[in-house]
Amino acid sequence: MSVYLKVDLSRLQKKMSALEKKQIPFALAKSLTDTAKEVKKEIVKEMRNVFDRPTPYTLNSLYIDPAVKKKNKFSATVKIKDSAQKGIAPVKYLGAEVEGGERNLKRSEIALQRRGFLSKDRFVVPGRGVRLDRHGNISGSQMVQILSALGAFTESGFTMNRAGKLKKHRNFFVPKPGSKLKPGVWERTRSGIKPILMFVKSPQYRKRLHFYKIAQRVSASKFNRIFKANFIHAMKTAYK
């Protein structure tokens, strides 16, 4: 998922001197990259506004593919990362926030599906008894406990160094079909049982992160000013 910033200066170049034409590649490449940085900054700002306590992982999910003068690559790109060394790639969960509709399955959901606990048309949402982290997400340590207790840890892709002594926790269970309990993961406690995760039909996400609109707005409002400043600087330095 990405936005490309390009510009066509063919008409303008017809009226330029040889020196001006010579300085165009530097000014253009730098301006496209500088504008992409402004786009990225505004999208991150929007994330802080529309998401509830976004994690640093989400706020750092954008990267820039810069324009390069030497390669005559006169386009810059702002992208949402589509890979990750650990965890789920940002584009997989931010896609629904940009486009709307269903989100992709999380690793934990895939693990629960493989173990037969979660049907193909269901997703996981927090239950009222779940432990949330400071960003409002299901606590990673508790999710590891749940998957370990249900025998789904090896299917999850979580790193093994987090399993440790968690196999002792056997208080989590999934009700059998026909149970009076709602589908999900429940926990047995001294005071009874409480819902930790609920299995629900595919949640529909509305468009919240206006990724493309922000890129268009910022490009339209800032590129000309940025290019003018860079071109003037390029012409000044050309005489040195």
Side-chain angles (χ1 to χ4, degrees):
M1 186 168 292
S2 56
V3 288
Y4 299 88
L5 309 181
K6 296 182 179 180
V7 66
D8 181 8
L9 293 179
S10 56
R11 293 183 179 179
L12 182 60
Q13 284 182 313
K14 292 178 181 179
K15 301 178 181 179
M16 289 182 172
S17 65
L19 180 60
E20 289 174 328
K21 289 179 180 179
K22 184 179 179 180
Q23 298 306 310
I24 279 288
F26 166 79
L28 181 55
K30 188 174 188 310
S31 298
L32 286 167
T33 301
D34 288 348
T35 304
K37 291 178 181 178
E38 292 296 318
V39 169
K40 178 184 175 182
K41 187 189 303 182
E42 287 300 312
I43 292 175
V44 171
K45 182 179 178 181
E46 178 83 348
M47 287 179 175
R48 294 184 184 277
N49 290 334
V50 301
F51 297 152
D52 179 23
R53 292 167 288 171
T55 64
Y57 184 72
T58 294
L59 295 176
N60 293 322
S61 63
L62 302 177
Y63 74 97
I64 294 172
D65 186 12
V68 183
K69 170 194 169 184
K70 291 183 179 179
K71 297 182 180 180
N72 289 323
K73 178 180 169 293
F74 296 121
S75 66
T77 312
V78 182
K79 299 181 179 180
I80 298 177
K81 296 176 183 177
D82 57 6
S83 62
Q85 292 184 341
K86 296 181 180 179
I88 187 171
V91 73
K92 290 187 176 180
Y93 64 87
L94 287 176
E97 304 289 356
V98 174
E99 304 288 357
E102 297 182 5
R103 65 165 170 79
N104 288 294
L105 289 171
K106 298 178 180 178
R107 290 182 302 164
S108 55
E109 292 168 328
I110 293 173
L112 290 170
Q113 282 189 357
R114 288 176 177 172
R115 291 292 295 171
F117 294 115
L118 186 67
S119 60
K120 296 292 185 180
D121 63 340
R122 299 282 167 160
F123 289 72
V124 169
V125 297
R128 56 181 173 82
V130 75
R131 187 166 69 245
L132 301 177
D133 63 20
R134 61 192 179 91
H135 297 288
N137 300 317
I138 299 172
S139 165
S141 60
Q142 187 170 48
M143 181 59 76
V144 169
Q145 287 181 348
I146 293 168
L147 296 175
S148 178
L150 297 177
F153 184 81
T154 56
E155 306 282 347
S156 68
F158 283 96
T159 53
M160 291 302 294
N161 62 356
R162 299 185 66 180
K165 48 191 175 183
L166 297 178
K167 292 184 180 180
K168 297 179 181 179
H169 294 269
R170 296 295 178 185
N171 297 323
F172 299 105
F173 68 97
V174 175
K176 294 182 179 180
S179 170
K180 293 182 179 180
L181 297 176
K182 293 182 178 180
V185 176
W186 294 70
E187 182 182 15
R188 296 184 182 92
T189 67
R190 292 180 179 179
S191 58
I193 58 175
K194 59 182 180 180
I196 303 300
L197 306 176
M198 293 287 94
F199 300 165
V200 301
K201 291 184 178 180
S202 174
Q204 293 294 313
Y205 288 77
R206 61 182 178 83
K207 296 179 182 181
R208 292 199 295 170
L209 182 60
H210 300 294
F211 186 77
Y212 303 111
K213 286 185 178 179
I214 291 172
Q216 292 173 351
R217 172 173 56 80
V218 173
S219 300
S221 64
K222 295 191 176 185
F223 175 79
N224 287 342
R225 176 177 55 80
I226 291 173
F227 175 75
K228 182 178 180 181
N230 283 330
F231 185 64
I232 291 174
H233 175 72
M235 290 301 294
K236 286 181 178 179
T237 55
Y239 292 102
K240 293 183 179 180

